[in-house]
Amino acid sequence: MKQSLESTLVLCDLDALMLGADGNLTQVLRDVLQLFTARGGQLTVFSQKTPKAVRAILGSVSLAAPALLCGGTLVYSFSAGNGQAMASFAALGDDFLAKLPSAPGIGIALQMKDGSTRVLRMNHALDRHLRHEWTPYLLTKTEGVSSADVLRVLLYQDAKTIPALQTFEKALEETGAPLRQDRLAIDCLALTPDSMNMGAAFSAVCASAMRSPENITVLAGSGQMVELMRLAGQSAAAFDAPAEVRLAAGQVTYCRASEGAAAEYLYQLVRNSEG
């Protein structure tokens, strides 16, 4: 059955599905994206990264709708050059950052409402991530940061054999602070206010793109997108995505994430549009 590409907006997992080992868009995906957009395809992305990092990765690739960045806490329009914050630590007070439990070997970075990254404490793991993702940052102290301007707190540990993050997680739980803790990698923990609503972020994208949820397709490779998959009209997951992602998906690709799952799915949409 012939399906118009212009009728659906694809929200794709940038970090898990679109990048090669060097952190760039793969060449096969660039080729498919060129074909996809030339035929009227509509694309935007979900990423844990900040606007500047994502812009550097995308290069000349343009998006048809605002992107969900910083793990969905920032709905960012590259065409307008601004974003809508979906989370804030304001309710925890301006001394929240100073009250974070102390743990040796932990690097601390803040993703801010203005799209910038601030580093409270640097370590090797954090430095490696920032360099790999081409993320510009400012070194700062807790006294110079308002909790109301913080979207997420990212914690990085150096030695994977030392359970530093586990110790930190336990200490946080004992404080009773209303925080959501998400493991983004074995060496990275993200702290987000409990008030963060992924549904509101998704609705903001729909409203800006003037699309109903039924006309959004979520293409996922990581667990952070499961809620988005359930809200969208269509969804697909990479062959090697986590089990909960594949279970939530309406379709699973034949390719693994690193083998071109995103390119496979977008090319399938092109073929379907040609009947």
Side-chain angles (χ1 to χ4, degrees), residues 28-45:
V28 65
L29 181 59
R30 286 184 181 277
D31 293 341
V32 172
L33 277 175
Q34 186 175 8
L35 177 64
F36 178 72
T37 55
R39 302 292 175 84
Q42 307 285 300
L43 177 80
T44 192
V45 298

Side-chain angles (χ1 to χ4, degrees), residues 71-74 86-87 180 192-198 201:
T73 60
L74 184 65
M86 308 304 298
R180 179 189 304 176
T192 311
D194 258 352
S195 58
M196 164 60 189
N197 187 332
M198 194 69 81

Side-chain angles (χ1 to χ4, degrees), residues 14-157:
L14 175 71
D15 306 341
L17 299 181
M18 299 177 71
L19 306 181
D22 61 355
N24 288 300
L25 297 180
T26 63
Q27 187 57 53
V28 65
L29 181 59
R30 286 184 181 277
D31 293 341
V32 172
L33 277 175
Q34 186 175 8
L35 177 64
F36 178 72
T37 55
R39 302 292 175 84
Q42 307 285 300
L43 177 80
T44 192
V45 298
F46 173 92
S47 177
Q48 304 295 338
K49 300 176 177 59
T50 60
K52 288 185 178 179
V54 171
R55 182 71 275 167
I57 291 169
L58 292 177
S60 62
V61 175
S62 60
L63 301 179
L68 291 179
L69 305 183
C70 302
T73 60
L74 184 65
V75 181
Y76 193 86
S77 170
F78 285 101
S79 60
N82 56 46
Q84 177 182 356
M86 308 304 298
S88 168
F89 287 91
L92 298 182
D94 282 337
D95 59 348
F96 160 70
L97 297 173
K99 291 181 178 179
L100 285 173
S102 177
I106 297 293
I108 303 177
L110 310 176
Q111 290 182 332
M112 310 296 292
K113 283 186 176 181
D114 63 4
S116 66
T117 297
R118 298 195 183 188
V119 173
L120 297 181
R121 186 189 306 160
M122 183 65 78
N123 67 353
H124 294 298
L126 176 52
D127 180 65
R128 184 174 62 252
H129 277 273
L130 293 171
R131 290 177 183 274
H132 182 71
E133 297 170 2
W134 302 301
T135 300
Y137 64 90
L138 295 172
L139 290 172
T140 189
K141 296 181 179 179
T142 57
E143 294 83 2
V145 181
S146 170
S147 294
D149 294 329
V150 180
L151 296 173
R152 290 201 303 177
V153 179
L154 301 181
L155 311 170
Y156 295 85
Q157 74 175 43

Side-chain angles (χ1 to χ4, degrees), residues 55 69 78 135 159 215 219 227 240 245:
R55 182 71 275 167
L69 305 183
F78 285 101
T135 300
N215 290 325
L219 180 54
E227 186 175 350
D240 57 343
V245 180

Side-chain angles (χ1 to χ4, degrees), residues 178-251:
L179 297 171
R180 179 189 304 176
Q181 302 181 38
D182 295 305
R183 278 291 187 128
L184 303 185
I186 192 171
D187 62 347
C188 180
L189 179 70
L191 307 181
T192 311
D194 258 352
S195 58
M196 164 60 189
N197 187 332
M198 194 69 81
F202 181 76
S203 294
V205 172
C206 292
S208 181
M210 293 185 289
R211 306 259 180 175
S212 66
E214 291 75 22
N215 290 325
I216 305 290
T217 293
V218 171
L219 180 54
S222 56
Q224 289 75 30
M225 296 188 74
V226 168
E227 186 175 350
L228 294 171
M229 298 172 78
R230 291 169 177 158
L231 294 169
Q234 298 84 34
S235 61
F239 177 82
D240 57 343
E244 67 270 20
V245 180
R246 287 181 277 115
L247 287 172
Q251 178 182 338

